[in-house]
Amino acid sequence: MLKLYGSTTSPFVRRIRIWLANTQHEFVNLQIFAEQDREALIVKNPTMKIPMLEDEMDGKSQVIYDSRVIYRYLTDKFADPALSWEQENQLTLIDSANDSLVQMFILSNSDIQADEDKLFFKLQKERVNAVLVQLNEQVDSGLFSSWNYPSVCLYCLIDWIEFRKLHNMQGLTSLLEFHDENSQRIEVTATDPR
């Protein structure tokens, strides 16, 4: 039995929830900043990050950390085709923007305001801007025309940006159109953090 640990608002968790939409699994919704859930998380996952997947088979438990590794594990488990190198690069772009935005979001929730003059914030914002422009061009070129794992991850990134109001998406019309085109998929609406 597959058990996915995460929160309903995490874009990294949501991508796995969407990917598992047609696979029997249990979703354990954690409040990762609440003491009790943090204690439960650290017992199984010393990184204390979500998502985390637990696969119980034949009386043994395999715990997998990180959305990218979870996806690879599921691909292997269900004998799905591996991602191409181009798709791996797409995931690297998506993950880098997501990581930067998560870090700035956590700092903001810690009452540390983004200061344009501070190196950390300058580098994160430069990365997010460059990545979103590149992803916009890739969508415009048709590289995300199939609903595959990179597309799911891209959707989750854009939707999280819009949900949390993390970045001005003005001018990124291909990304916004991609978001609109996929917003009514059943697995998308079923995992909407709103």
Side-chain angles (χ1 to χ4, degrees):
M1 172 69 172
L2 293 173
K3 191 182 288 188
L4 178 65
Y5 296 82
S7 72
T8 57
T9 56
S10 166
F12 291 104
V13 173
R14 189 178 186 195
R15 62 174 66 171
I16 301 297
R17 291 179 69 206
I18 289 173
W19 197 250
L20 286 173
N22 296 314
T23 303
Q24 185 177 357
H25 71 285
E26 177 185 349
F27 176 60
V28 180
N29 186 19
L30 298 174
Q31 303 303 319
I32 63 167
F33 299 114
E35 186 176 333
Q36 182 178 354
D37 284 355
R38 282 198 80 65
E39 287 174 7
L41 183 62
I42 196 169
V43 167
K44 293 183 185 271
N45 183 349
T47 71
M48 294 187 289
K49 292 172 70 175
I50 53 173
M52 175 183 75
L53 182 77
E54 186 173 16
D55 189 0
E56 296 178 13
M57 6 171 228
D58 304 324
K60 294 181 182 179
S61 179
Q62 175 71 54
V63 178
I64 308 294
Y65 319 133
D66 189 75
S67 61
R68 200 155 180 173
V69 180
I70 291 169
Y71 173 76
R72 287 188 56 215
Y73 178 82
L74 294 171
T75 298
D76 188 56
K77 180 177 179 71
F78 298 116
D80 292 333
L83 295 175
S84 69
W85 290 115
E86 181 178 58
Q87 291 172 318
E88 290 283 359
N89 277 336
Q90 289 171 328
L91 282 183
T92 298
L93 289 170
I94 294 164
D95 288 351
S96 67
N98 243 329
D99 288 338
S100 289
L101 289 165
V102 165
Q103 295 302 316
M104 290 189 291
F105 179 73
I106 291 172
L107 286 170
S108 173
N109 284 345
S110 302
D111 294 325
I112 299 172
Q113 296 305 312
D115 183 342
E116 298 281 338
D117 294 332
K118 300 291 183 190
L119 181 61
F120 176 82
F121 294 107
K122 182 178 179 182
L123 292 176
Q124 302 313 309
K125 290 179 179 186
E126 283 177 4
R127 175 181 296 141
V128 170
N129 286 331
V131 166
L132 291 178
V133 167
Q134 177 65 31
L135 290 169
N136 191 69
E137 291 171 5
Q138 289 187 11
V139 169
D140 197 43
S141 299
L143 296 179
F144 286 92
S145 58
S146 297
W147 188 244
N148 53 24
Y149 188 68
S151 293
V152 167
C153 295
L154 179 60
Y155 180 86
C156 292
L157 168 64
I158 299 166
D159 197 59
W160 191 65
I161 289 171
E162 294 289 281
F163 169 56
R164 296 293 192 187
K165 298 177 178 33
L166 297 172
H167 188 80
N168 182 347
M169 298 292 286
Q170 185 176 354
L172 300 169
T173 54
S174 294
L175 287 178
L176 293 172
E177 287 170 8
F178 169 85
H179 180 264
D180 289 345
E181 289 166 7
N182 292 290
S183 64
Q184 294 307 308
R185 291 179 178 273
I186 187 128
E187 64 274 24
V188 165
T189 59
T191 59
D192 190 334
R194 293 163 188 84

